[in-house]
Amino acid sequence: MFRFSEFPPEARVRDPRQVVQRTANAPRSIVTQALWWRLGLLLLVAAAFLIRSRDFGNPLIDSDEQFYLLAGDRLLRGTLLYVDLWDRKPIGLFLLYGAIRLLGGDGIIQYQLVATASVAATAMMIATIARRIAPPGAALVAGFLYIPALAMCGGEGGQAPIFFNLLVVIAAWLTIGAIDADVATIRRRGIGAMLLLGAAMQIKYSVLAEGIYFGLVLSWLSWRADPRWPRLLADMSLWCGLALLPTLAAFGWYAAIGQADAFVYANFVSIFQRGAYDDAAFSLCKIAIHLLPLLVPVILSEGPLRRFGRVWRRLPKGVAAHRFVAGWAIVAVLSLLGFGGYFDHYALPLFVPLAVLAAPMFAIRRFWSGALIGFASAFSMLVHYRADADVREDYRGDAQSAAAITRLIAAHRGTGCLYVFDTDPIYYHLTGSCLPTRWAFPYHLSLTREAPALGVDPASEVRRILDSWPSVIVDKETHDPQINPMMQAIVEQRLARDYRLVGRFPREVETDRVWALRSVR
């Protein structure tokens, strides 16, 4: 069985006779190591499902993925995204959730299982890349840490990075494999990497920064292998075209049905019209704190323990691989800073390159520092994972509270529509209700910062919804300063006049309320 610090035997012996003896035993050793490596990868899969099983079946993990599931389900029923149902995420994300709906059930446990499989595959790829700059044991530790690390920034469920991180890390593996390769190999690997990054951009456009970086690295490798401008420009044009192909295909389809303006506004214009995010500095500090279990190993191995942790210099192509991953991490950080918003889950793409960069730390044997830091990182993340799940359920609710609210809505809805003002959109999906508005993600209409970025006056839209007399309205008692006071006043006035409170569901900070129409209109 390999240890954290295991290297090829030739790297640790000086006596030529020892080299000869170990070379004779090499085939058996290689087979044994390969078996242990595969077992380690399988354990990563088991760890992913075991750790994340705590949240299986809970539909209230996060409002974003609730809406993704709702939109994916409605796409299968013929709803046209950006026209009948509005959001600014790429259509690929909703097509993914639509495909998950084909697995049956209500989609809750199904999307969580698919997300967990994606996490497991990403962890395996992290370990595979980390093996380029660290021994196998340390590489597996790096892959393992990715799994609980996601909970540090809201990645317990099916946020977009949970899925596109897998595509990006495979693209990174392809790019690293092009180091010192011939021109034909670089071209083939570049084609695969750019196609994957193009698909990832149709899950979230923030992948563009990594796509540019990977493309520049591939272009440099290609130029170094054969410095002829016509051939290089041809390769770069091919790679760029393939990366943009999924987005161009989506735009072309909407243009063909006469909805190009709706597609462009939702995908590329509205995000720049959104209001400023409050407490940006505080949010960035919180993200930095959440990254510490991976940042500390990286800082230690690159700083005070650098002379003990530069293990990649002894591994084939390790120096080049380490430089590539370090550049990838820097680009991911710059992408986060440039994207704005600073929601916790915006930091999820950072965990992939940081986990790889942390791997050399876990191979340091000096004062048992590698093992101790690895244990401390894993322990802190696992404790946080459990504590965060408990806090989140107290704050957001769990499967039992969601089921109780769903039953109450169904008992009073009749044939009318449900309207969810500023709480969880999953109730549209769980009740099968018709949608009273194109802006079914509640926070688009209820948050102040969203008001200028919808292409419609939110006050007029809220009044229109209420004038359609939804049979049930769900909102929450809250003191959230981000809620638009004008929207809240419009809804509160109509609730007091035309609706009766039929249920209150207190949570730690806020309370969900269910209102039924007093009489049929």
Side-chain angles (χ1 to χ4, degrees), residues 245-279:
L245 182 60
T247 300
L248 292 175
F251 170 75
W253 189 85
Y254 273 88
I257 63 173
Q259 297 293 343
D261 290 344
F263 179 89
V264 170
Y265 180 77
N267 282 264
F268 307 119
V269 177
S270 67
I271 187 64
F272 298 105
Q273 297 177 336
R274 190 169 61 176
Y277 182 72
D278 296 335
D279 299 325

Side-chain angles (χ1 to χ4, degrees), residues 148-173:
L150 295 171
M152 308 292 285
C153 288
E156 302 93 337
Q159 283 283 3
I162 298 300
F163 300 104
F164 74 66
N165 276 356
L166 175 59
L167 302 179
V168 173
V169 76
I170 297 175
W173 173 75

Side-chain angles (χ1 to χ4, degrees), residues 148-476:
L150 295 171
M152 308 292 285
C153 288
E156 302 93 337
Q159 283 283 3
I162 298 300
F163 300 104
F164 74 66
N165 276 356
L166 175 59
L167 302 179
V168 173
V169 76
I170 297 175
W173 173 75
L174 289 170
T175 304
I176 291 173
I179 296 173
D180 293 332
D182 58 76
V183 171
T185 301
I186 294 172
R187 182 180 297 117
R188 287 195 303 270
R189 285 182 168 266
I191 288 172
M194 291 300 110
L195 280 173
L196 287 168
L197 290 165
M201 279 197 292
Q202 270 303 297
I203 297 178
K204 195 167 185 180
Y205 289 118
S206 60
V207 177
L208 176 64
E210 282 92 335
I212 293 173
Y213 173 66
F214 287 16
L216 290 175
V217 170
L218 286 164
S219 299
W220 161 247
L221 294 174
S222 180
W223 169 259
R224 190 177 63 175
D226 183 3
R228 289 183 296 171
W229 280 107
R231 184 205 54 76
L232 176 62
L233 292 175
D235 282 349
M236 293 176 68
S237 299
L238 173 64
W239 294 333
C240 183
L242 291 174
L244 295 176
L245 182 60
T247 300
L248 292 175
F251 170 75
W253 189 85
Y254 273 88
I257 63 173
Q259 297 293 343
D261 290 344
F263 179 89
V264 170
Y265 180 77
N267 282 264
F268 307 119
V269 177
S270 67
I271 187 64
F272 298 105
Q273 297 177 336
R274 190 169 61 176
Y277 182 72
D278 296 335
D279 299 325
F282 172 78
S283 298
L284 280 175
C285 289
K286 186 169 67 171
I287 286 173
I289 292 171
H290 289 163
L291 290 172
L292 281 178
L294 284 179
L295 280 176
V296 169
V298 173
I299 293 171
L300 288 176
S301 63
E302 298 293 329
L305 297 177
R306 181 174 176 82
R307 71 188 185 97
F308 304 112
R310 300 171 76 176
V311 295
W312 60 84
R313 292 195 175 277
R314 302 187 229 170
L315 300 174
K317 303 179 184 178
V319 174
H322 182 268
R323 288 174 179 169
F324 169 79
V325 178
W328 175 16
I330 292 171
V331 169
V333 171
L334 294 177
S335 177
L336 169 67
L337 295 176
F339 195 77
Y342 310 133
F343 295 104
D344 283 358
H345 60 271
Y346 287 5
L348 292 175
L350 274 65
F351 285 115
V352 182
L354 286 179
V356 176
L357 284 178
M361 176 68 231
F362 309 133
I364 297 176
R365 301 182 66 184
R366 190 82 169 183
F367 309 120
W368 291 88
S369 54
L372 291 174
I373 291 294
F375 175 80
S377 294
F379 181 78
S380 64
M381 289 179 185
L382 291 171
V383 169
H384 179 275
Y385 201 108
R386 178 56 189 252
D388 180 75
D390 294 337
V391 170
R392 187 180 65 252
E393 286 189 355
D394 291 339
Y395 181 78
R396 299 193 58 86
D398 55 17
Q400 288 71 36
S401 62
I405 293 175
T406 300
R407 288 193 297 268
L408 189 60
I409 294 171
H412 291 87
R413 188 172 68 85
T415 58
C417 285
L418 165 69
Y419 174 43
V420 179
F421 173 58
D422 65 341
T423 187
D424 297 294
I426 195 64
Y427 298 118
Y428 287 126
H429 177 68
L430 294 177
T431 62
S433 169
C434 49
L435 302 179
T437 176
R438 294 171 57 202
W439 292 270
F441 185 65
Y443 301 106
H444 283 153
L445 293 175
S446 66
L447 295 184
T448 302
R449 66 172 175 270
E450 291 287 346
L454 302 176
V456 66
D457 174 33
S460 298
E461 179 63 14
V462 169
R463 290 191 182 97
R464 187 200 65 76
I465 295 169
L466 296 172
D467 288 343
S468 70
W469 303 107
S471 55
V472 176
I473 295 177
V474 181
D475 74 341
K476 62 186 178 187

